[in-house]
Amino acid sequence: MTTSTSAVASRRARAHRPRKWLPAAALTVISLFTVAPLLTVVVLALSPEGAPTLPHAIPDSLTLDNVTRIFEVGEFPLWLFNSFVYSAVSVVVILLTASMAAYALVRKRFPGRNAMLWAIVATLMVPMQATLIPTFILVARMDGVNTLWGLIMPTLANAQAVFLIRQFVRDLPDELFDAARIDGAGEWRTFTRIVLPLIRPVLATLAIFVFLWHWNDLLWPLIVGQSDEARTLTVGLATLHTETVSTAGIMSAAFVSFIPCLVIFILLQRHIVASITSSGVKG
């Protein structure tokens, strides 16, 4: 009797237990919806001129002719260069200045330190659109319109980067800094030899976010880069539809603009996992 009751209870438990394949199936469907637009862009970019394209048919062959031809349209190579400079310089400067500020906010004792920290955090609540006009007026008065430095400078103060790096620096053990002080290491050597290597995961994560934000930024480059030579890739892509460029050409430009983001993510993705692991395990 007991055995029969246990068997019935076991069957009921298995019946009410969620199927193991349901989460995998749901994730597969979501992944298909996520990847489908990207695959469509790739197919359209690599389709031969005049070949039937999605959704009517899948082309029989793929070619790079559209990708090579887009570099001859307008100032596309210059737009690509401007976007790369805008993103790369911003990543380097933001990570350096934000890590230095975070180190000072954690390791230094000075009047108004907490007030400064909360002031930095408070700036996160101010939307960029609220400061857009004053920022443009300042840049214009310094003759920064249609220049790379006018494009880059206003975006270098990143409060989010300072706050995130501060959280990592705060969790570093005090014994490391005490040992460095005993060995005679100065502040700069302590910062470069101890702090920076230990916070590498959060720096790599922020590098991805900052690069993607600047690479895909449209509003600020659209306002500052008013000439054709000062445009970034995102602004240039938005203006291609006004020229005699085919859909395949526009998709080719979008495909080229996606490649640097993919490369950056592939190179730094392992640091994201390390960042999540180190932030979840303390002690």
Side-chain angles (χ1 to χ4, degrees):
M1 186 71 176
T2 304
T3 304
S4 177
T5 304
S6 301
V8 172
S10 177
R11 284 195 297 269
R12 289 179 178 177
R14 287 196 298 269
H16 292 286
R17 186 185 305 167
R19 300 279 186 180
K20 292 183 178 180
W21 55 268
L22 287 178
L27 291 176
T28 301
V29 173
I30 294 174
S31 300
L32 290 176
F33 276 103
T34 304
V35 177
L38 177 60
L39 294 179
T40 303
V41 170
V42 174
V43 172
L44 291 175
L46 301 181
S47 297
E49 193 72 26
T53 56
L54 298 175
H56 305 290
I58 298 177
D60 297 331
S61 61
L62 301 178
T63 178
L64 292 175
D65 292 342
N66 294 326
V67 178
T68 56
R69 194 179 298 116
I70 196 62
F71 283 90
E72 303 173 0
V73 175
E75 300 289 343
F76 186 83
L78 185 58
W79 300 342
L80 194 63
F81 174 77
N82 292 341
S83 290
F84 181 78
V85 173
Y86 177 44
S87 303
V89 173
S90 299
V91 167
V92 174
V93 177
I94 287 175
L95 293 187
L96 180 60
T97 56
S99 58
M100 294 173 64
Y103 174 75
L105 289 172
V106 173
R107 302 305 307 177
K108 295 300 177 182
R109 302 291 186 268
F110 55 88
R113 184 183 66 163
N114 292 331
M116 184 180 297
L117 173 62
W118 285 111
I120 293 174
V121 175
T123 60
L124 296 174
M125 306 176 189
V126 180
M128 184 193 69
Q129 291 79 4
T131 60
L132 195 61
I133 295 178
T135 303
F136 176 76
I137 293 175
L138 291 174
V139 172
R141 289 181 177 178
M142 293 186 294
D143 296 328
V145 178
N146 292 326
T147 62
L148 283 176
W149 72 264
L151 179 67
I152 297 172
M153 286 297 293
T155 65
L156 297 182
N158 195 310
Q160 184 179 13
V162 174
F163 179 75
L164 291 178
I165 296 176
R166 175 191 174 274
Q167 302 304 106
F168 266 71
V169 176
R170 186 186 60 177
D171 294 333
L172 297 179
D174 294 334
E175 291 77 9
L176 292 175
F177 299 97
D178 295 337
R181 192 178 303 109
I182 292 174
D183 291 340
E187 295 294 344
W188 180 252
R189 186 175 182 183
T190 301
F191 173 72
T192 56
R193 297 295 181 88
I194 296 178
V195 176
L196 289 184
L198 291 177
I199 64 172
R200 189 181 303 165
V202 70
L203 292 179
T205 304
L206 281 173
I208 295 176
F209 292 155
V210 172
F211 184 89
L212 293 180
W213 175 51
H214 286 80
W215 187 266
N216 297 319
D217 190 15
L218 176 64
L219 183 57
W220 178 244
L222 179 64
I223 295 175
V224 177
Q226 299 178 1
S227 66
D228 193 47
E229 293 77 11
R231 290 174 179 170
T232 59
L233 191 56
T234 51
V235 179
L237 287 177
T239 61
L240 283 180
H241 71 279
T242 62
E243 304 180 16
T244 57
V245 181
S246 62
T247 302
I250 297 177
M251 292 299 102
S252 299
F255 174 69
V256 172
S257 67
F258 163 74
I259 294 177
C261 301
L262 179 63
V263 172
I264 291 295
F265 179 78
I266 292 175
L267 293 178
L268 300 179
Q269 64 172 338
R270 62 186 182 92
H271 294 288
I272 297 181
V273 178
S275 175
I276 297 173
T277 304
S278 60
S279 61
V281 179
K282 304 297 179 184

